[in-house]
Amino acid sequence: DVKVTQSSRYLVKRTGEKVFLECVQDMDHENMFWYRQDPGLGLRLIYFSYDVKMKEKGDIPEGYSVSREKKERFSLILESASTNQTSMYLCASSLPLTGSEKLFFGSGTQLSVL
Amino acid sequence: RKEVEQDPGPFNVPEGATVAFNCTYSNSASQSFFWYRQDCRKEPKLLMSVYSSGNEDGRFTAQLNRASQYISLLIRDSKLSDSATYLCVESSGGYQKVTFGIGTKLQVIP
């Protein structure tokens, strides 16, 4: 079974702090994604990466950056956390799209910014 | 207009009932469709893909209507364990374009 592991289940941070969310997958997947999920808004794509050192902006990249130095690891960085970044963050991985993509999600990180 | 629209529910149904959800999409170029299931405070997991000819997996049937741009999920003989949020997902191809609906919450009642 594919395993996508997110480093923290719950995080509490202060406004202005730099926050790192880590994600590791063990199935040699090329694609990795960061989503946030908010009530009434569903999952929204922040950034994705289709290869090492490659990154592309998703629908809501503002206030975030990412890093993919190794194939198995995709990090989401909040340079200066703000209260509107309080959310559930979900990492996912997949093989390249073939018309029947299957996303494997980590268990999520609930981030609270105070 | 949202790219993928779902009724958030909740749908409260008795055990054994048949329940159906619809999901509409706005992108006529959408290529692939899926239903994901998300349990409370858990991550989404793929339930089934949706094929043009319709497909069935046990008590679950998924259908696609390209002319009217909607997909549906039918659950027969509902179980308590079916209680979850069901997310409609469309992909228009390429690395980026996978769009999730907000999900429809189902509560199966004893």
Side-chain angles (χ1 to χ4, degrees), chain A residues 71-109:
Chain A
K71 192 175 186 179
E72 68 271 18
R73 186 181 296 271
F74 192 35
S75 303
L76 181 69
I77 303 151
L78 287 67
E79 294 289 341
S80 177
S82 62
T83 54
N84 63 12
Q85 292 178 309
T86 292
S87 185
M88 170 65 80
Y89 289 87
L90 289 158
C91 174
S93 73
S94 75
L95 291 167
L97 289 172
T98 60
S100 56
E101 181 178 33
K102 181 176 182 179
L103 289 170
F104 295 87
F105 284 90
S107 54
T109 296

Side-chain angles (χ1 to χ4, degrees), chain B residues 16-96:
Chain B
T18 295
V19 62
F21 313 131
N22 278 350
C23 164
T24 59
Y25 62 94
S26 60
N27 184 2
S28 58
S30 294
Q31 298 177 3
S32 307
F33 303 89
F34 311 88
W35 285 101
Y36 277 70
R37 172 191 168 127
Q38 186 172 22
D39 292 301
C40 189
R41 296 192 182 88
K42 300 277 185 149
E43 72 275 19
K45 292 183 179 179
L46 179 66
L47 177 66
M48 58 197 301
S49 302
V50 185
Y51 302 123
S52 297
S53 55
N55 49 298
E56 196 172 299
D57 183 3
R59 296 181 294 108
F60 297 82
T61 300
Q63 291 193 310
L64 166 63
N65 185 319
R66 285 198 181 272
S68 301
Q69 294 189 198
Y70 74 86
I71 69 171
S72 63
L73 178 68
L74 181 80
I75 305 174
R76 289 181 298 279
D77 189 23
S78 299
K79 311 290 185 192
L80 295 176
S81 57
D82 294 334
S83 297
T85 296
Y86 291 85
L87 305 173
C88 169
V89 181
E90 70 88 22
S91 172
S92 53
Y95 294 106
Q96 178 174 0

Side-chain angles (χ1 to χ4, degrees), chain A residues 12-69:
Chain A
V12 180
K13 296 292 181 181
R14 297 276 181 197
T15 301
E17 278 193 78
K18 190 169 186 175
V19 182
F20 292 87
L21 302 182
E22 305 286 347
C23 176
V24 177
Q25 50 94 3
D26 65 359
M27 280 301 289
D28 204 36
H29 282 174
E30 284 80 0
N31 298 336
M32 296 189 75
F33 307 80
W34 275 106
Y35 288 88
R36 63 178 281 178
Q37 186 174 28
D38 300 286
L41 294 176
L43 278 84
R44 292 179 292 167
L45 181 64
I46 304 170
Y47 267 97
F48 68 99
S49 169
Y50 54 87
D51 203 352
V52 175
K53 297 192 185 295
M54 304 302 287
K55 59 185 179 182
E56 294 287 341
K57 292 180 180 179
D59 298 318
I60 51 163
E62 296 79 17
Y64 303 95
S65 62
V66 289
S67 172
R68 188 138 182 230
E69 296 297 317

